[in-house]
Amino acid sequence: MLDTKKRNLNGGSHAKSEAIKKKVKHASPPTNDEASPKPSPTPAPTREPEAIGETNGAVPKSFHELGIIDSLCDACTALGYKAPTPIQNEAIPLALQGRDLIGLAETGSGKTAAFALPILQALMEKPQPFFGLVMAPTRELAYQISQAFDALGALISVRTAVIVGGFDMVPQSIALGKKPHIVVATPGRLLDHLENTKGFSLRSLKYLVMDEADRLLDLDFGAIIDKILKVLPRERRTFLFSATQTSKVQALERASLSNPLRVSISTNKYQTVSTLLQSYVFFPHKMKDHCLVYIMNEFASKSAIVFTRTVNETQRLTILLRALGFGTTPLHGQLSQSARLGALGRFRARSRNILVATDVAARGLDIPSVDLVLNFDLPENSETYIHRVGRTARAGQSGHAISMVTQYDIGIWQRIEAALGKKLGEYETEKEEIMVLGERVEDAQKMAVREMKDLHEKRGTRGATLRGRRVGRGGGGKRGRDEMDREEG
């Protein structure tokens, strides 16, 4: 690991947090918009979704007080869920009443358990195959949701099946033939199975969940979702969860939900949690790599996600940081599914403490204890910024988000600050220390250029062969391939 001067980087989290706060010239003020939840009578069919409001007052001390049965409460305790989050506090009692729900909440708010617990409790009362369907925008999120159902439903031996693009359809057809209780799927591959897998039907489905609905629609899954909705039973409960409320999401609400209640935890779609400390560094573009290495050295031994804009830059920075002794793994949409899951596994297990990723990692993924999000490349829009920085400071923990701003990024950064409604402080750096890193960083840059050139040459020579083999070797046909392309975002 690079050391430009001696520091205690493995000290207690409180001491480290205080040290970082001192380096930020203007700390962002905490925000906490709250309102009182009051159950309302069932709205008339022609009314808009009834808003229940935001959390206010005393939060229940346990899931039992929300109406969750003892066996599922025990599962929550075993998983370390100490108390319901605001979205769980609001959504679970209403879901247990059998109402359709629209849940609007910031990323990292505990939405998965908010819909998984009521579904599992209903499943225990009347068990049947194909009881619930959850649609998610990405393969990684689908696997994560499935793992949550498996963990929460372990005591009742719940069976789940994950149906996503990037894998052969035959093993998935076999999994569906075993009649799982819960199916978690990306829309494109699910429609493939509904149209082509003999004997597979969701006509008896009781619960439908559309998670990250705004992202589903941003990825142009709208037409596919419409086809899926046409083959689902009308008599079902539907939960729609989204981080933002858009016109597309509103249209989906009207098409798929019946007399829903709206639970909104955040009234500002650009709001970040109060435990997140945000700042920026301003450097000339030619010094970006040097500044990156300096910050990674500042957070040595901490876990970090470095966001880039392109696959090429993700690979280049991975090589550069590895050459300088950092434990780094890449994540982007051009990796195979097994490679993507492997990268997430290594990062979660801390065998690699730096994940360099495109925006495929910006939403939905639940990676506990991420200490730092570093925006190496600023996102094109403010909403993506919110989702990126939401990878840290989750579940009440603290976290840091640092954005690298060059002379070419000033306009983008000003739009992000305008969306947040506040000016963010500058993270203080020691410019002399950054300059000392110059020679070693430049050597690593040269190594990265050579390896990237070799990588592109290898891809070029085998590209035609791979394209010829693509159909029928796990892509699952055109819809599966299109789905993989959309997931990259």
Side-chain angles (χ1 to χ4, degrees):
M1 209 59 73
L2 294 178
D3 286 312
T4 55
K5 67 179 181 181
K6 293 182 179 179
R7 293 184 180 84
N8 179 12
L9 294 171
N10 293 305
S13 59
H14 177 74
K16 178 65 179 178
S17 178
E18 291 302 314
I20 297 299
K21 288 180 181 178
K22 291 179 181 178
K23 296 179 75 68
V24 182
K25 292 179 179 178
H26 307 289
S28 305
T31 59
N32 186 19
D33 298 330
E34 298 181 342
S36 177
K38 294 182 179 179
S40 303
T42 303
T46 57
R47 291 178 59 181
E48 287 297 308
E50 186 175 349
I52 297 301
E54 289 86 35
T55 309
N56 191 22
V59 175
K61 296 179 181 179
S62 69
F63 286 94
H64 181 74
E65 293 180 81
L66 297 181
I68 298 299
I69 59 177
D70 291 341
S71 58
L72 291 176
C73 287
D74 292 341
C76 291
T77 301
L79 292 173
Y81 298 173
K82 297 180 180 179
T85 65
I87 186 65
Q88 293 162 4
N89 181 34
E90 293 279 3
I92 288 175
L94 300 175
L96 293 176
Q97 295 173 19
R99 297 298 301 271
D100 282 10
L101 288 180
I102 301 165
L104 300 176
E106 63 200 14
T107 185
S109 59
K111 287 181 286 185
T112 301
F115 61 75
L117 287 170
I119 292 175
L120 288 172
Q121 185 154 316
L123 175 64
M124 292 179 68
E125 294 173 359
K126 294 183 179 180
Q128 69 165 60
F130 301 115
F131 189 80
L133 166 66
V134 183
M135 286 194 286
T138 67
R139 290 168 276 173
E140 286 79 12
L141 180 55
Y143 275 99
Q144 181 176 292
I145 293 170
S146 173
Q147 291 167 358
F149 270 97
D150 287 339
L152 289 169
L155 295 177
I156 60 173
S157 301
V158 67
R159 299 191 307 275
T160 62
V162 181
I163 306 299
V164 297
F167 289 102
D168 196 323
M169 288 182 65
V170 174
Q172 294 178 355
S173 299
I174 294 172
L176 292 173
K178 295 179 180 179
K179 301 187 182 303
H181 300 112
I182 307 295
V183 176
V184 187
T186 47
R189 178 52 64 87
L190 176 64
L191 186 58
D192 276 337
H193 281 285
L194 286 169
E195 293 177 343
N196 302 309
T197 298
K198 188 175 181 179
F200 172 50
S201 170
L202 293 173
R203 287 191 294 269
S204 62
L205 187 78
K206 300 302 181 185
Y207 281 84
L208 168 66
V209 180
M210 288 177 280
D211 196 18
E212 300 282 357
D214 50 348
R215 182 66 170 158
L216 280 169
L217 298 173
D218 285 345
L219 291 171
D220 294 328
F221 282 127
I224 295 175
I225 293 173
D226 287 342
K227 291 181 179 180
I228 293 171
L229 291 175
K230 289 178 181 179
V231 300
L232 299 183
R234 292 181 177 273
E235 295 299 322
R236 66 170 193 269
R237 295 277 62 81
T238 303
F239 303 153
L240 187 151
F241 285 84
S242 179
T244 57
Q245 178 81 320
T246 66
S247 58
K248 290 182 178 180
V249 172
Q250 288 176 329
L252 183 59
E253 292 172 7
R254 290 190 291 270
S256 60
L257 282 78
S258 174
N259 295 333
L261 293 175
R262 178 181 286 115
V263 176
S264 180
I265 302 305
S266 173
T267 57
N268 177 8
K269 72 176 183 176
Y270 296 114
Q271 180 181 339
T272 55
V273 296
S274 59
T275 54
L276 174 65
L277 187 66
Q278 303 173 79
S279 55
Y280 71 94
V281 290
F282 183 70
F283 265 88
H285 186 272
K286 65 180 181 180
M287 296 297 293
K288 281 186 75 173
D289 288 350
H290 301 73
C291 187
L292 166 69
V293 174
Y294 171 84
I295 294 173
M296 291 297 98
N297 201 40
E298 287 274 291
F299 284 83
S301 79
K302 301 295 182 181
S303 62
I305 301 179
V306 178
F307 279 106
T308 68
R309 197 173 292 167
T310 65
V311 170
N312 193 74
E313 195 72 336
T314 298
Q315 289 290 153
R316 187 188 73 84
L317 290 183
T318 299
I319 296 169
L320 182 144
L321 291 172
R322 283 177 178 173
L324 294 169
F326 293 96
T328 310
T329 189
L331 179 65
H332 55 75
Q334 290 186 11
L335 294 174
S336 67
Q337 184 60 33
S338 59
R340 290 163 74 167
L341 293 175
L344 286 172
R346 288 188 292 273
F347 186 63
R348 285 190 176 110
R350 292 295 188 96
S351 62
R352 299 288 188 274
N353 68 315
I354 300 174
L355 182 71
V356 184
T358 59
D359 285 325
V360 74
R363 293 185 64 165
L365 299 184
D366 184 16
I367 305 172
S369 302
V370 176
D371 300 302
L372 170 70
V373 166
L374 178 67
N375 289 309
F376 182 82
D377 295 324
L378 289 182
E380 292 290 348
N381 59 73
S382 304
E383 185 177 332
T384 301
Y385 171 87
I386 295 297
H387 291 299
R388 283 185 179 185
V389 302
R391 299 307 93 206
T392 186
R394 298 172 71 84
Q397 300 181 35
S398 61
H400 306 277
I402 301 175
S403 298
M404 300 182 67
V405 183
T406 73
Q407 67 269 32
Y408 306 115
D409 304 317
I410 294 175
I412 297 175
W413 183 245
Q414 289 175 336
R415 288 196 295 273
I416 290 173
E417 287 187 321
L420 293 172
K422 57 189 174 185
K423 292 288 185 181
L424 301 181
E426 184 173 3
Y427 182 85
E428 291 186 351
T429 58
E430 299 291 340
K431 292 182 172 56
E432 296 79 8
E433 293 187 19
I434 295 177
M435 298 308 297
V436 170
L437 298 172
E439 185 175 346
R440 295 188 64 186
V441 173
E442 289 161 10
D443 288 343
Q445 287 174 325
K446 293 176 183 177
M447 179 183 295
V449 169
R450 289 195 300 269
E451 291 196 25
M452 289 298 295
K453 182 179 179 181
D454 292 342
L455 183 62
H456 286 306
E457 288 177 352
K458 290 178 182 178
R459 285 178 177 173
T461 56
R462 67 185 182 184
T465 303
L466 289 175
R467 284 192 294 272
R469 295 176 179 176
R470 192 173 186 182
V471 176
R473 289 291 300 273
K478 183 179 185 301
R479 187 180 291 122
R481 296 196 301 275
D482 291 344
E483 185 172 276
M484 293 170 67
D485 293 337
R486 281 194 291 267
E487 284 180 9
E488 179 56 33

